[in-house]
Amino acid sequence: MRDLHSLPGDTWPANAIRNNGPDNLVLERAKLRELAEGWPCYRDACEWENFESIFHEDAHVYTTWSGRVHFKDFMEASKAGMDKGAFIMHRCHGVTTDITPEATRAVTKMKATITQRFTIDGCEVDAEADCRFIFFFEKVSGSWGARFVRHWYEKDKLLPVDPNKVPKVDEAKLASYPEGYKCLAYCQELTMGVSVLTDMPGHRRHVGTVNAEKHDLLYQQAKDWLDGKCLNV
């Protein structure tokens, strides 16, 4: 069985600081937490001007349904989806940050649950995906902003809104999607007219899949970012 109790090889950001540290960096990490939690708080409430303030101008984001897009294109696609009935919410569960001693770069990881309402087979359901956001932050002219935002998709489930009404699900089709977000992907493709990416980063336990490989790669990219390397994530 794969070792689930360690990070992928050579991905520990040894030169970054987290947990306690100098007081000035505690303040910086608080700023970054506010920015990270702004994604769900601002997006879910359609506070688009506030949402835009999270990012640098050239930032890109990645989701199951959008792929890699400029954050402003993601905003417009989100608005269009909402107008068509898409109803996506988030719950935040915790935030950690690795930051360089000079407070010029940081990686913030935020545990969250993505929950999206669908109508499947005449039944209202919520697909809930437990994930971790990862923000690649950089400070420019004294202000933090995200350059990239990605996710690890770790596990999900499908919940009927009315327990008396349970939809019929194509089990073979459901099983064809990645383990970390199979219910979310199934519902999104069935109802949104999108082709969901199947190679998004997953959990380390998804052994033998591209999702496990992308899990490890994302950790490597986070270390490279904190080491000052130029990335095109």
Side-chain angles (χ1 to χ4, degrees):
M1 182 177 178
R2 186 178 194 183
D3 179 10
L4 302 179
H5 305 293
S6 63
L7 293 176
D10 193 32
T11 59
W12 179 255
N15 295 323
I17 295 173
R18 68 203 63 80
N19 300 340
N20 297 311
D23 288 351
N24 68 302
L25 294 185
V26 176
L27 176 59
E28 299 294 343
R29 298 201 310 268
K31 294 177 183 178
L32 295 168
R33 176 171 189 155
E34 184 176 45
L35 287 171
E37 291 182 345
W39 175 299
C41 292
Y42 297 145
R43 185 195 181 280
D44 291 358
C46 298
E47 296 181 13
W48 297 114
E49 290 184 3
N50 287 335
F51 185 83
E52 187 172 348
S53 70
I54 296 169
F55 305 94
H56 286 305
E57 188 61 30
D58 59 350
H60 288 78
V61 304
Y62 306 70
T63 72
T64 56
W65 59 270
S66 70
R68 182 185 191 273
V69 294
H70 189 274
F71 80 95
K72 290 186 179 178
D73 293 331
F74 172 77
M75 289 169 57
E76 293 308 310
S78 296
K79 295 175 187 178
M82 290 177 182
D83 291 341
K84 295 176 181 178
F87 188 16
I88 303 173
M89 305 290 283
H90 302 76
R91 294 191 296 271
C92 300
H93 306 302
V95 175
T96 61
T97 293
D98 293 307
I99 188 170
T100 59
E102 305 82 14
T104 54
R105 285 192 175 193
V107 168
T108 294
K109 306 184 192 83
M110 179 175 71
K111 284 186 67 67
T113 298
I114 302 169
T115 173
Q116 185 167 356
R117 178 68 52 89
F118 299 95
T119 299
I120 305 294
D121 192 28
C123 305
E124 278 194 315
V125 295
D126 280 343
E128 296 202 339
D130 292 326
C131 69
R132 284 184 295 154
F133 284 69
I134 178 167
F135 296 79
F136 292 73
F137 284 122
E138 187 171 22
K139 184 189 283 186
V140 178
S141 300
S143 295
W144 288 103
R147 295 290 189 191
F148 309 99
V149 183
R150 298 211 64 171
H151 305 72
W152 286 281
Y153 294 88
E154 298 179 318
K155 69 178 181 67
D156 73 342
K157 56 185 176 292
L158 194 61
L159 303 172
V161 174
D162 180 347
N164 295 305
K165 298 179 67 176
V166 180
K168 178 69 175 177
V169 174
D170 184 331
E171 293 186 31
K173 184 69 172 176
L174 181 66
S176 70
Y177 294 106
E179 187 64 28
Y181 55 103
K182 61 184 178 182
C183 297
L184 183 64
Y186 177 94
C187 294
Q188 286 179 335
E189 286 205 343
L190 188 64
T191 67
M192 294 175 64
V194 297
S195 295
V196 172
L197 297 180
T198 58
D199 63 347
M200 303 296 276
H203 193 279
R204 288 210 86 199
R205 67 174 57 250
H206 298 150
V207 180
T209 69
V210 65
N211 310 101
E213 294 173 6
K214 290 294 185 70
H215 168 280
D216 291 0
L217 176 61
L218 194 47
Y219 265 99
Q220 183 62 61
Q221 290 169 329
K223 181 179 185 297
D224 289 345
W225 180 252
L226 292 168
D227 286 345
K229 294 183 180 180
C230 182
L231 296 182
N232 186 21
V233 177

